[in-house]
Amino acid sequence: MANPKIIVVGGGLAGLSAVIKIAEAGGDVDLFSIVPVKRSHSVCAQGGINAAKNLKGEGDTTAQHLDDTVYGGDFLGNQTPIKEMCDAAPAIIDLLDRMGVPFNRTPEGLLDFRRFGGTLYHRTAFAGATTGQQLLYALDEQVRRYESEGRVTKYEHWEFLSAVLDSNRVCRGICAMNLRTMEVRTFECDALIVATGGIGAIFGKSTNSVVCTGSAQSALYQQGAYYANGEFIQVHPTSIPGEDKLRLMSESARGEGGRVWVPKQKHDKRDPRTIPDSDRFYFLEEWYPKYGNLVPRDVATRAIHKIVYENDLGIDGQPMVYLDLTHIDRHTLDRKLEGILEIYEKFVGDDPRVHPMKIFPGMHYTMGGLWIDFNQATSIPGVFAAGECEYQYHGANRLGANSLVSCIFGGFVAGPEAVKYAKGLQKSPAGSNGHFDAEKKRQEEINSRLISSDGTENPFRLWRELGDTMTRNVTVLRYNKSLQETDTKIVELLERFRKINLSDKGAWANTSFIFSRQLYNMLQLARVITQGAARRDESRGAHYKPDFPERDDAKFLKTTKAYFAPDADEPRFEWEAVDTSIIKPRPRRYDMAK
Amino acid sequence: MAEKTVKLKIKRQTGPNTESHWDEFEIPWKPGMNVISAMMDIAANPVTKDGKQTTPIAYDSNCLEEICGSCAMLINGKAKMACSALVDHFEQPITVEPLSKFPIVRDLAVDRSVLFENLKKVKAWVPVDGTYDLGSGPRITPQQQEQSYPLSNCISCTICMEVCPQFNEGTGFVGAATISQVALFNDHPTGAVLKEERLHALMGDGGIHECGFAQNCVESCPKEIPLTRSISRVAGQVMIQSIKDIFSS
Ligand SMILES: Cc1cc2nc3c(=O)[nH]c(=O)nc-3n(C[C@H](O)[C@H](O)[C@H](O)COP(=O)(O)OP(=O)(O)OC[C@H]3O[C@@H](n4cnc5c(N)ncnc54)[C@H](O)[C@@H]3O)c2cc1C
Ligand code: SF4
Ligand code: FES
């Protein structure tokens, strides 16, 4: 057989990792991405990447990494693949190091490691506070090398619209749209890997990049792929509130000693620098003496919510608390955190080396995603998934610095698995290529309906309504009544979507048209998230229902699997057992040692 | 009292080969507003200052935190990253134009793929043997790391190319960003194996000798990369290489 032809959609860490493995194995790759791959969202990752290299003499092991990850994820993660990831992590760091990532060093020239949330070990390798950027560039450079050798063809500024499925529902290619010429085209492949990242835009404002809409995942879900654990949404405790975006203040700020506090006195108007220690409430350190400021994110987020909304102790009555680095010396801050301090300085205007930062939780990450098996295969034959767009490695809550490693590991598994699958693939029977034309026609019809629709709704305003509702009702605290209302609201928005009026009817680089297509998919996926949350009457990891405050293993130690019912135009749900073959589930507590 | 507003004057063009025109907008001010968030607000209500319905503005953006390199444009005549350009720091009306040295796609979106092509020419990568486990990488002192890390922060925004008087069709100059990447990879213990090839790529037309030391690049780089230092170092390496070439030919 000729070289297998693989399509990879998405050029973040996960997609690029897959591309490198395929090219190395002799496969040919077409790489699709909305933005030039070097501008993918992975570039935003700040704090670092986890691997139990044990270079600090603490006795860290990959078994500990596994335990922290499973425990941090409140036992919802499948343990076999998590174990494989943790075991592979040290070699992944070595590889990145060989590729030239400028990781911070110890005086002896070895890799330096910092602490991150949900662990007591120094396990996080980092390159200043722009680790994601540095990792993405290293992989991007390797892919550029393969590109110049002709192994990889990039299709940047192309958007994946759907998979092309044959009459047996086997993937034979993709349908994509050129974001400049607006041309819709199909491309053949033997296997497809989707690595399309996060879904932040469903929540309006988040820490994610603009193109993180989840549109591709949603399209595949609507074509029959299972979507798993959609209700598990990570709200990061420390983001900088903003009108257009919630900019992240990385957990590494706390990893390097940053402390979270509020004035003890309500609505204290003093300059924070003049408030003495005795008048400050370091609530995380007080409530969680063992982990202190480095409790996992869901725990820290709920604590901040409680301080602000229950105790009314937010700074000056506002929904904000202090994250304080001013006690750390300037040189250390610059060497280890400069990138993120600059973000605060640029966008807020205060120097965090001098002023305590004002922060508040913000939507950050989806633990849920396309359902995959232990080989990264989705439920559609020939479609694989890797990175934030799949659900495999983080259970009910992701630990800081575990995403980058899961993206690279997932890509490293998906690449070779896709090649293996492609080599064993039966060709479509001769003369049965009609599914390519049919899919293209289906997508073109969606386009012409949208362009010619002349109602009164503005897509960007519909989007803001979606974001507001999702943020209010489907993030930190979840009540069944408001989840129900949210689902009703999304149905209303889907209804109004049909009355969109695109002020721009142009057939060239029409960004509002492109956005509207994504918006439709966001609405469909928002229902999966919301209804999944409604069904899970317990609290686990990031999913917290005040009316059901305990974890309920008897009923809910299960993966949520949603699938699309086309006739009813809504999600249906199934449960699947979780792989707990290595560590027996136990209660998760951070106010004492595990 | 009238609500506080922001006035913007945006240069528009529906496609690569159409005439350009200006649209003026006046929109409600919001705290912390930047040029991209202003354009998001325009998209939600695309009406000009004179009440004329128009289309949302086309531009490139992604991260909104000045790290992806997408959103370079001319703001009040200067090349800047629009997402970190806080409107409060600019005189109004704020004029917004596309970069001038790259083909226009639409409105403020331009095609900057030339930079990625240049990076191919100079082999800006570390040629690892393979992705299988070969143990840890070379030891690197903290001092070396502190030298290479800033160079590795280049976000490929192409501002250094936009502001360079030598970067034009006539010279075909590769520009500062590419040269600085050569410095980065030549410094790396493994990357150095391609040093000679990189230097040769910088010799002929459009190579490093086109640089006129105007220093605009280093003054405009949003990541404050020491570009002139990189250029002098690489110029030195190229010189030594050409002498070597003479003796070995
Ligand atoms: C601010 C911030 C900081 C973070 N810091 C850390 C950290 O320190 N450590 C850590 O472990 N994790 C961190 N994370 C999480 C981590 O960055 C992400 O989970 C990870 O980068 C996702 O990588 P990815 O490869 O899955 O997707 P992405 O990097 O998001 O890439 C997605 C790709 O898919 C493409 N794409 C999307 N849709 C389509 C489509 N329809 N058609 C074509 N192409 C498409 C995009 O163009 C892009 O190339 C952070 C996240 C944020 C938001
Ligand atoms: S060197 Fe600076 S100005 Fe030039 S592309 Fe890189 S970041 Fe932009
Ligand atoms: S949007 Fe990424 S740099 Fe401005």
Side-chain angles (χ1 to χ4, degrees), chain A residues 117 251 254-255 257-261 282-285 288 291-296 300 323:
Chain A
E251 194 163 292
R254 282 170 288 140
R259 303 176 74 187
V260 175
W261 63 276
Y282 293 97
F283 53 96
L284 289 175
E285 295 169 32
Y288 305 100
Y291 288 81
N293 292 291
L294 286 173
V295 286
L323 169 56

mmCIF file with all atom_site columns, all heavy atoms in Angstrom, chain A residues 117 251 254-255 257-261 282-285 288 291-296 300 323:
data_model
loop_
_atom_site.group_PDB
_atom_site.id
_atom_site.type_symbol
_atom_site.label_atom_id
_atom_site.label_alt_id
_atom_site.label_comp_id
_atom_site.label_asym_id
_atom_site.label_entity_id
_atom_site.label_seq_id
_atom_site.pdbx_PDB_ins_code
_atom_site.Cartn_x
_atom_site.Cartn_y
_atom_site.Cartn_z
_atom_site.occupancy
_atom_site.B_iso_or_equiv
_atom_site.pdbx_formal_charge
_atom_site.auth_seq_id
_atom_site.auth_comp_id
_atom_site.auth_asym_id
_atom_site.auth_atom_id
_atom_site.pdbx_PDB_model_num
ATOM 1   N N   . GLY A 1 117 ? -0.227  23.275 41.651 1.00 0.00 ? 117 GLY A N   1
ATOM 2   C CA  . GLY A 1 117 ? -1.325  22.880 42.520 1.00 0.00 ? 117 GLY A CA  1
ATOM 3   C C   . GLY A 1 117 ? -1.557  21.383 42.562 1.00 0.00 ? 117 GLY A C   1
ATOM 4   O O   . GLY A 1 117 ? -1.247  20.655 41.622 1.00 0.00 ? 117 GLY A O   1
ATOM 5   N N   . GLU A 1 251 ? -1.044  29.686 37.738 1.00 0.00 ? 251 GLU A N   1
ATOM 6   C CA  . GLU A 1 251 ? -0.838  29.038 39.026 1.00 0.00 ? 251 GLU A CA  1
ATOM 7   C C   . GLU A 1 251 ? 0.631   29.107 39.456 1.00 0.00 ? 251 GLU A C   1
ATOM 8   O O   . GLU A 1 251 ? 0.950   29.015 40.634 1.00 0.00 ? 251 GLU A O   1
ATOM 9   C CB  . GLU A 1 251 ? -1.254  27.570 38.872 1.00 0.00 ? 251 GLU A CB  1
ATOM 10  C CG  . GLU A 1 251 ? -1.430  26.796 40.129 1.00 0.00 ? 251 GLU A CG  1
ATOM 11  C CD  . GLU A 1 251 ? -2.237  25.518 39.857 1.00 0.00 ? 251 GLU A CD  1
ATOM 12  O OE1 . GLU A 1 251 ? -3.431  25.620 39.545 1.00 0.00 ? 251 GLU A OE1 1
ATOM 13  O OE2 . GLU A 1 251 ? -1.651  24.430 39.946 1.00 0.00 ? 251 GLU A OE2 1
ATOM 14  N N   . ARG A 1 254 ? 1.477   31.279 42.306 1.00 0.00 ? 254 ARG A N   1
ATOM 15  C CA  . ARG A 1 254 ? 1.393   30.690 43.644 1.00 0.00 ? 254 ARG A CA  1
ATOM 16  C C   . ARG A 1 254 ? 2.474   29.632 43.839 1.00 0.00 ? 254 ARG A C   1
ATOM 17  O O   . ARG A 1 254 ? 2.993   29.467 44.929 1.00 0.00 ? 254 ARG A O   1
ATOM 18  C CB  . ARG A 1 254 ? -0.005  30.106 43.871 1.00 0.00 ? 254 ARG A CB  1
ATOM 19  C CG  . ARG A 1 254 ? -1.042  31.186 44.193 1.00 0.00 ? 254 ARG A CG  1
ATOM 20  C CD  . ARG A 1 254 ? -2.460  30.643 44.174 1.00 0.00 ? 254 ARG A CD  1
ATOM 21  N NE  . ARG A 1 254 ? -2.885  30.356 42.815 1.00 0.00 ? 254 ARG A NE  1
ATOM 22  C CZ  . ARG A 1 254 ? -3.597  29.293 42.447 1.00 0.00 ? 254 ARG A CZ  1
ATOM 23  N NH1 . ARG A 1 254 ? -3.952  28.398 43.334 1.00 0.00 ? 254 ARG A NH1 1
ATOM 24  N NH2 . ARG A 1 254 ? -3.930  29.120 41.188 1.00 0.00 ? 254 ARG A NH2 1
ATOM 25  N N   . GLY A 1 255 ? 2.841   28.933 42.742 1.00 0.00 ? 255 GLY A N   1
ATOM 26  C CA  . GLY A 1 255 ? 3.911   27.938 42.827 1.00 0.00 ? 255 GLY A CA  1
ATOM 27  C C   . GLY A 1 255 ? 5.221   28.559 43.278 1.00 0.00 ? 255 GLY A C   1
ATOM 28  O O   . GLY A 1 255 ? 6.039   27.929 43.946 1.00 0.00 ? 255 GLY A O   1
ATOM 29  N N   . GLY A 1 257 ? 5.373   31.049 45.297 1.00 0.00 ? 257 GLY A N   1
ATOM 30  C CA  . GLY A 1 257 ? 5.208   31.646 46.626 1.00 0.00 ? 257 GLY A CA  1
ATOM 31  C C   . GLY A 1 257 ? 4.117   32.696 46.742 1.00 0.00 ? 257 GLY A C   1
ATOM 32  O O   . GLY A 1 257 ? 3.937   33.286 47.811 1.00 0.00 ? 257 GLY A O   1
ATOM 33  N N   . GLY A 1 258 ? 3.383   32.940 45.672 1.00 0.00 ? 258 GLY A N   1
ATOM 34  C CA  . GLY A 1 258 ? 2.308   33.934 45.728 1.00 0.00 ? 258 GLY A CA  1
ATOM 35  C C   . GLY A 1 258 ? 1.248   33.545 46.750 1.00 0.00 ? 258 GLY A C   1
ATOM 36  O O   . GLY A 1 258 ? 0.939   32.372 46.925 1.00 0.00 ? 258 GLY A O   1
ATOM 37  N N   . ARG A 1 259 ? 0.709   34.559 47.470 1.00 0.00 ? 259 ARG A N   1
ATOM 38  C CA  . ARG A 1 259 ? -0.276  34.289 48.518 1.00 0.00 ? 259 ARG A CA  1
ATOM 39  C C   . ARG A 1 259 ? -1.588  35.004 48.208 1.00 0.00 ? 259 ARG A C   1
ATOM 40  O O   . ARG A 1 259 ? -1.600  36.146 47.773 1.00 0.00 ? 259 ARG A O   1
ATOM 41  C CB  . ARG A 1 259 ? 0.255   34.770 49.874 1.00 0.00 ? 259 ARG A CB  1
ATOM 42  C CG  . ARG A 1 259 ? 1.592   34.140 50.243 1.00 0.00 ? 259 ARG A CG  1
ATOM 43  C CD  . ARG A 1 259 ? 2.130   34.714 51.537 1.00 0.00 ? 259 ARG A CD  1
ATOM 44  N NE  . ARG A 1 259 ? 1.401   34.207 52.703 1.00 0.00 ? 259 ARG A NE  1
ATOM 45  C CZ  . ARG A 1 259 ? 1.597   34.659 53.944 1.00 0.00 ? 259 ARG A CZ  1
ATOM 46  N NH1 . ARG A 1 259 ? 2.463   35.640 54.177 1.00 0.00 ? 259 ARG A NH1 1
ATOM 47  N NH2 . ARG A 1 259 ? 0.917   34.156 54.953 1.00 0.00 ? 259 ARG A NH2 1
ATOM 48  N N   . VAL A 1 260 ? -2.683  34.283 48.471 1.00 0.00 ? 260 VAL A N   1
ATOM 49  C CA  . VAL A 1 260 ? -4.000  34.848 48.209 1.00 0.00 ? 260 VAL A CA  1
ATOM 50  C C   . VAL A 1 260 ? -4.581  35.349 49.527 1.00 0.00 ? 260 VAL A C   1
ATOM 51  O O   . VAL A 1 260 ? -4.541  34.644 50.537 1.00 0.00 ? 260 VAL A O   1
ATOM 52  C CB  . VAL A 1 260 ? -4.922  33.766 47.599 1.00 0.00 ? 260 VAL A CB  1
ATOM 53  C CG1 . VAL A 1 260 ? -6.337  34.295 47.435 1.00 0.00 ? 260 VAL A CG1 1
ATOM 54  C CG2 . VAL A 1 260 ? -4.378  33.297 46.260 1.00 0.00 ? 260 VAL A CG2 1
ATOM 55  N N   . TRP A 1 261 ? -5.090  36.575 49.522 1.00 0.00 ? 261 TRP A N   1
ATOM 56  C CA  . TRP A 1 261 ? -5.685  37.105 50.761 1.00 0.00 ? 261 TRP A CA  1
ATOM 57  C C   . TRP A 1 261 ? -6.726  38.166 50.493 1.00 0.00 ? 261 TRP A C   1
ATOM 58  O O   . TRP A 1 261 ? -6.834  38.688 49.384 1.00 0.00 ? 261 TRP A O   1
ATOM 59  C CB  . TRP A 1 261 ? -4.604  37.669 51.699 1.00 0.00 ? 261 TRP A CB  1
ATOM 60  C CG  . TRP A 1 261 ? -3.801  38.847 51.180 1.00 0.00 ? 261 TRP A CG  1
ATOM 61  C CD1 . TRP A 1 261 ? -2.704  38.789 50.375 1.00 0.00 ? 261 TRP A CD1 1
ATOM 62  C CD2 . TRP A 1 261 ? -4.028  40.247 51.442 1.00 0.00 ? 261 TRP A CD2 1
ATOM 63  N NE1 . TRP A 1 261 ? -2.228  40.059 50.116 1.00 0.00 ? 261 TRP A NE1 1
ATOM 64  C CE2 . TRP A 1 261 ? -3.018  40.974 50.768 1.00 0.00 ? 261 TRP A CE2 1
ATOM 65  C CE3 . TRP A 1 261 ? -4.977  40.950 52.192 1.00 0.00 ? 261 TRP A CE3 1
ATOM 66  C CZ2 . TRP A 1 261 ? -2.925  42.364 50.801 1.00 0.00 ? 261 TRP A CZ2 1
ATOM 67  C CZ3 . TRP A 1 261 ? -4.881  42.343 52.237 1.00 0.00 ? 261 TRP A CZ3 1
ATOM 68  C CH2 . TRP A 1 261 ? -3.869  43.036 51.545 1.00 0.00 ? 261 TRP A CH2 1
ATOM 69  N N   . TYR A 1 282 ? -5.487  35.221 55.088 1.00 0.00 ? 282 TYR A N   1
ATOM 70  C CA  . TYR A 1 282 ? -4.933  34.308 54.081 1.00 0.00 ? 282 TYR A CA  1
ATOM 71  C C   . TYR A 1 282 ? -5.795  33.041 54.118 1.00 0.00 ? 282 TYR A C   1
ATOM 72  O O   . TYR A 1 282 ? -5.418  32.030 54.702 1.00 0.00 ? 282 TYR A O   1
ATOM 73  C CB  . TYR A 1 282 ? -3.482  33.990 54.406 1.00 0.00 ? 282 TYR A CB  1
ATOM 74  C CG  . TYR A 1 282 ? -2.555  35.177 54.267 1.00 0.00 ? 282 TYR A CG  1
ATOM 75  C CD1 . TYR A 1 282 ? -2.184  35.938 55.373 1.00 0.00 ? 282 TYR A CD1 1
ATOM 76  C CD2 . TYR A 1 282 ? -2.045  35.526 53.020 1.00 0.00 ? 282 TYR A CD2 1
ATOM 77  C CE1 . TYR A 1 282 ? -1.335  37.039 55.236 1.00 0.00 ? 282 TYR A CE1 1
ATOM 78  C CE2 . TYR A 1 282 ? -1.196  36.617 52.878 1.00 0.00 ? 282 TYR A CE2 1
ATOM 79  C CZ  . TYR A 1 282 ? -0.853  37.372 53.989 1.00 0.00 ? 282 TYR A CZ  1
ATOM 80  O OH  . TYR A 1 282 ? -0.024  38.446 53.853 1.00 0.00 ? 282 TYR A OH  1
ATOM 81  N N   . PHE A 1 283 ? -6.965  33.136 53.502 1.00 0.00 ? 283 PHE A N   1
ATOM 82  C CA  . PHE A 1 283 ? -7.974  32.095 53.746 1.00 0.00 ? 283 PHE A CA  1
ATOM 83  C C   . PHE A 1 283 ? -7.597  30.723 53.230 1.00 0.00 ? 283 PHE A C   1
ATOM 84  O O   . PHE A 1 283 ? -7.939  29.712 53.836 1.00 0.00 ? 283 PHE A O   1
ATOM 85  C CB  . PHE A 1 283 ? -9.353  32.539 53.232 1.00 0.00 ? 283 PHE A CB  1
ATOM 86  C CG  . PHE A 1 283 ? -9.370  32.991 51.795 1.00 0.00 ? 283 PHE A CG  1
ATOM 87  C CD1 . PHE A 1 283 ? -9.724  32.120 50.777 1.00 0.00 ? 283 PHE A CD1 1
ATOM 88  C CD2 . PHE A 1 283 ? -9.038  34.296 51.466 1.00 0.00 ? 283 PHE A CD2 1
ATOM 89  C CE1 . PHE A 1 283 ? -9.751  32.539 49.458 1.00 0.00 ? 283 PHE A CE1 1
ATOM 90  C CE2 . PHE A 1 283 ? -9.062  34.729 50.138 1.00 0.00 ? 283 PHE A CE2 1
ATOM 91  C CZ  . PHE A 1 283 ? -9.407  33.844 49.138 1.00 0.00 ? 283 PHE A CZ  1
ATOM 92  N N   . LEU A 1 284 ? -6.856  30.650 52.119 1.00 0.00 ? 284 LEU A N   1
ATOM 93  C CA  . LEU A 1 284 ? -6.479  29.314 51.618 1.00 0.00 ? 284 LEU A CA  1
ATOM 94  C C   . LEU A 1 284 ? -5.503  28.647 52.579 1.00 0.00 ? 284 LEU A C   1
ATOM 95  O O   . LEU A 1 284 ? -5.609  27.462 52.877 1.00 0.00 ? 284 LEU A O   1
ATOM 96  C CB  . LEU A 1 284 ? -5.868  29.419 50.217 1.00 0.00 ? 284 LEU A CB  1
ATOM 97  C CG  . LEU A 1 284 ? -6.844  29.780 49.093 1.00 0.00 ? 284 LEU A CG  1
ATOM 98  C CD1 . LEU A 1 284 ? -6.090  29.979 47.777 1.00 0.00 ? 284 LEU A CD1 1
ATOM 99  C CD2 . LEU A 1 284 ? -7.911  28.714 48.925 1.00 0.00 ? 284 LEU A CD2 1
ATOM 100 N N   . GLU A 1 285 ? -4.555  29.440 53.073 1.00 0.00 ? 285 GLU A N   1
ATOM 101 C CA  . GLU A 1 285 ? -3.566  28.865 53.995 1.00 0.00 ? 285 GLU A CA  1
ATOM 102 C C   . GLU A 1 285 ? -4.232  28.432 55.292 1.00 0.00 ? 285 GLU A C   1
ATOM 103 O O   . GLU A 1 285 ? -3.863  27.434 55.900 1.00 0.00 ? 285 GLU A O   1
ATOM 104 C CB  . GLU A 1 285 ? -2.462  29.900 54.275 1.00 0.00 ? 285 GLU A CB  1
ATOM 105 C CG  . GLU A 1 285 ? -1.674  30.223 53.017 1.00 0.00 ? 285 GLU A CG  1
ATOM 106 C CD  . GLU A 1 285 ? -0.745  31.426 53.171 1.00 0.00 ? 285 GLU A CD  1
ATOM 107 O OE1 . GLU A 1 285 ? -0.238  31.656 54.282 1.00 0.00 ? 285 GLU A OE1 1
ATOM 108 O OE2 . GLU A 1 285 ? -0.535  32.136 52.157 1.00 0.00 ? 285 GLU A OE2 1
ATOM 109 N N   . TYR A 1 288 ? -6.714  25.342 54.340 1.00 0.00 ? 288 TYR A N   1
ATOM 110 C CA  . TYR A 1 288 ? -6.039  24.142 53.807 1.00 0.00 ? 288 TYR A CA  1
ATOM 111 C C   . TYR A 1 288 ? -4.561  24.173 54.172 1.00 0.00 ? 288 TYR A C   1
ATOM 112 O O   . TYR A 1 288 ? -3.711  24.400 53.313 1.00 0.00 ? 288 TYR A O   1
ATOM 113 C CB  . TYR A 1 288 ? -6.208  24.071 52.275 1.00 0.00 ? 288 TYR A CB  1
ATOM 114 C CG  . TYR A 1 288 ? -7.659  24.135 51.865 1.00 0.00 ? 288 TYR A CG  1
ATOM 115 C CD1 . TYR A 1 288 ? -8.224  25.319 51.416 1.00 0.00 ? 288 TYR A CD1 1
ATOM 116 C CD2 . TYR A 1 288 ? -8.460  22.999 51.954 1.00 0.00 ? 288 TYR A CD2 1
ATOM 117 C CE1 . TYR A 1 288 ? -9.568  25.378 51.059 1.00 0.00 ? 288 TYR A CE1 1
ATOM 118 C CE2 . TYR A 1 288 ? -9.800  23.050 51.599 1.00 0.00 ? 288 TYR A CE2 1
ATOM 119 C CZ  . TYR A 1 288 ? -10.352 24.239 51.160 1.00 0.00 ? 288 TYR A CZ  1
ATOM 120 O OH  . TYR A 1 288 ? -11.665 24.306 50.820 1.00 0.00 ? 288 TYR A OH  1
ATOM 121 N N   . TYR A 1 291 ? -1.820  22.106 51.883 1.00 0.00 ? 291 TYR A N   1
ATOM 122 C CA  . TYR A 1 291 ? -1.555  22.546 50.511 1.00 0.00 ? 291 TYR A CA  1
ATOM 123 C C   . TYR A 1 291 ? -1.539  24.069 50.377 1.00 0.00 ? 291 TYR A C   1
ATOM 124 O O   . TYR A 1 291 ? -0.976  24.619 49.444 1.00 0.00 ? 291 TYR A O   1
ATOM 125 C CB  . TYR A 1 291 ? -2.602  21.956 49.553 1.00 0.00 ? 291 TYR A CB  1
ATOM 126 C CG  . TYR A 1 291 ? -2.422  20.478 49.319 1.00 0.00 ? 291 TYR A CG  1
ATOM 127 C CD1 . TYR A 1 291 ? -2.900  19.545 50.228 1.00 0.00 ? 291 TYR A CD1 1
ATOM 128 C CD2 . TYR A 1 291 ? -1.759  20.020 48.187 1.00 0.00 ? 291 TYR A CD2 1
ATOM 129 C CE1 . TYR A 1 291 ? -2.730  18.192 50.030 1.00 0.00 ? 291 TYR A CE1 1
ATOM 130 C CE2 . TYR A 1 291 ? -1.583  18.665 47.965 1.00 0.00 ? 291 TYR A CE2 1
ATOM 131 C CZ  . TYR A 1 291 ? -2.075  17.755 48.892 1.00 0.00 ? 291 TYR A CZ  1
ATOM 132 O OH  . TYR A 1 291 ? -1.904  16.407 48.682 1.00 0.00 ? 291 TYR A OH  1
ATOM 133 N N   . GLY A 1 292 ? -2.196  24.752 51.308 1.00 0.00 ? 292 GLY A N   1
ATOM 134 C CA  . GLY A 1 292 ? -2.197  26.208 51.306 1.00 0.00 ? 292 GLY A CA  1
ATOM 135 C C   . GLY A 1 292 ? -2.689  26.798 50.005 1.00 0.00 ? 292 GLY A C   1
ATOM 136 O O   . GLY A 1 292 ? -3.749  26.420 49.490 1.00 0.00 ? 292 GLY A O   1
ATOM 137 N N   . ASN A 1 293 ? -1.892  27.702 49.439 1.00 0.00 ? 293 ASN A N   1
ATOM 138 C CA  . ASN A 1 293 ? -2.296  28.376 48.205 1.00 0.00 ? 293 ASN A CA  1
ATOM 139 C C   . ASN A 1 293 ? -2.286  27.432 47.007 1.00 0.00 ? 293 ASN A C   1
ATOM 140 O O   . ASN A 1 293 ? -2.734  27.801 45.934 1.00 0.00 ? 293 ASN A O   1
ATOM 141 C CB  . ASN A 1 293 ? -1.371  29.558 47.935 1.00 0.00 ? 293 ASN A CB  1
ATOM 142 C CG  . ASN A 1 293 ? -1.579  30.653 48.971 1.00 0.00 ? 293 ASN A CG  1
ATOM 143 O OD1 . ASN A 1 293 ? -2.615  31.302 48.994 1.00 0.00 ? 293 ASN A OD1 1
ATOM 144 N ND2 . ASN A 1 293 ? -0.604  30.816 49.869 1.00 0.00 ? 293 ASN A ND2 1
ATOM 145 N N   . LEU A 1 294 ? -1.748  26.235 47.203 1.00 0.00 ? 294 LEU A N   1
ATOM 146 C CA  . LEU A 1 294 ? -1.641  25.309 46.080 1.00 0.00 ? 294 LEU A CA  1
ATOM 147 C C   . LEU A 1 294 ? -2.631  24.155 46.156 1.00 0.00 ? 294 LEU A C   1
ATOM 148 O O   . LEU A 1 294 ? -2.351  23.040 45.727 1.00 0.00 ? 294 LEU A O   1
ATOM 149 C CB  . LEU A 1 294 ? -0.205  24.805 45.955 1.00 0.00 ? 294 LEU A CB  1
ATOM 150 C CG  . LEU A 1 294 ? 0.749   25.874 45.394 1.00 0.00 ? 294 LEU A CG  1
ATOM 151 C CD1 . LEU A 1 294 ? 2.188   25.401 45.431 1.00 0.00 ? 294 LEU A CD1 1
ATOM 152 C CD2 . LEU A 1 294 ? 0.358   26.251 43.975 1.00 0.00 ? 294 LEU A CD2 1
ATOM 153 N N   . VAL A 1 295 ? -3.811  24.437 46.666 1.00 0.00 ? 295 VAL A N   1
ATOM 154 C CA  . VAL A 1 295 ? -4.887  23.442 46.551 1.00 0.00 ? 295 VAL A CA  1
ATOM 155 C C   . VAL A 1 295 ? -5.281  23.384 45.077 1.00 0.00 ? 295 VAL A C   1
ATOM 156 O O   . VAL A 1 295 ? -5.012  24.312 44.319 1.00 0.00 ? 295 VAL A O   1
ATOM 157 C CB  . VAL A 1 295 ? -6.122  23.815 47.403 1.00 0.00 ? 295 VAL A CB  1
ATOM 158 C CG1 . VAL A 1 295 ? -5.855  23.574 48.874 1.00 0.00 ? 295 VAL A CG1 1
ATOM 159 C CG2 . VAL A 1 295 ? -6.560  25.253 47.149 1.00 0.00 ? 295 VAL A CG2 1
ATOM 160 N N   . PRO A 1 296 ? -5.941  22.270 44.649 1.00 0.00 ? 296 PRO A N   1
ATOM 161 C CA  . PRO A 1 296 ? -6.374  22.208 43.247 1.00 0.00 ? 296 PRO A CA  1
ATOM 162 C C   . PRO A 1 296 ? -7.327  23.350 42.915 1.00 0.00 ? 296 PRO A C   1
ATOM 163 O O   . PRO A 1 296 ? -7.884  23.995 43.799 1.00 0.00 ? 296 PRO A O   1
ATOM 164 C CB  . PRO A 1 296 ? -7.095  20.873 43.150 1.00 0.00 ? 296 PRO A CB  1
ATOM 165 C CG  . PRO A 1 296 ? -6.632  20.083 44.293 1.00 0.00 ? 296 PRO A CG  1
ATOM 166 C CD  . PRO A 1 296 ? -6.297  21.047 45.375 1.00 0.00 ? 296 PRO A CD  1
ATOM 167 N N   . ALA A 1 300 ? -9.755  25.981 45.188 1.00 0.00 ? 300 ALA A N   1
ATOM 168 C CA  . ALA A 1 300 ? -9.415  27.397 45.346 1.00 0.00 ? 300 ALA A CA  1
ATOM 169 C C   . ALA A 1 300 ? -10.538 28.278 44.809 1.00 0.00 ? 300 ALA A C   1
ATOM 170 O O   . ALA A 1 300 ? -10.905 29.298 45.416 1.00 0.00 ? 300 ALA A O   1
ATOM 171 C CB  . ALA A 1 300 ? -8.109  27.703 44.626 1.00 0.00 ? 300 ALA A CB  1
ATOM 172 N N   . LEU A 1 323 ? -3.895  38.590 44.957 1.00 0.00 ? 323 LEU A N   1
ATOM 173 C CA  . LEU A 1 323 ? -2.859  37.574 44.771 1.00 0.00 ? 323 LEU A CA  1
ATOM 174 C C   . LEU A 1 323 ? -1.554  38.354 44.884 1.00 0.00 ? 323 LEU A C   1
ATOM 175 O O   . LEU A 1 323 ? -1.274  39.243 44.077 1.00 0.00 ? 323 LEU A O   1
ATOM 176 C CB  . LEU A 1 323 ? -2.990  36.902 43.403 1.00 0.00 ? 323 LEU A CB  1
ATOM 177 C CG  . LEU A 1 323 ? -1.830  36.007 42.972 1.00 0.00 ? 323 LEU A CG  1
ATOM 178 C CD1 . LEU A 1 323 ? -1.551  34.921 43.992 1.00 0.00 ? 323 LEU A CD1 1
ATOM 179 C CD2 . LEU A 1 323 ? -2.119  35.374 41.614 1.00 0.00 ? 323 LEU A CD2 1
#
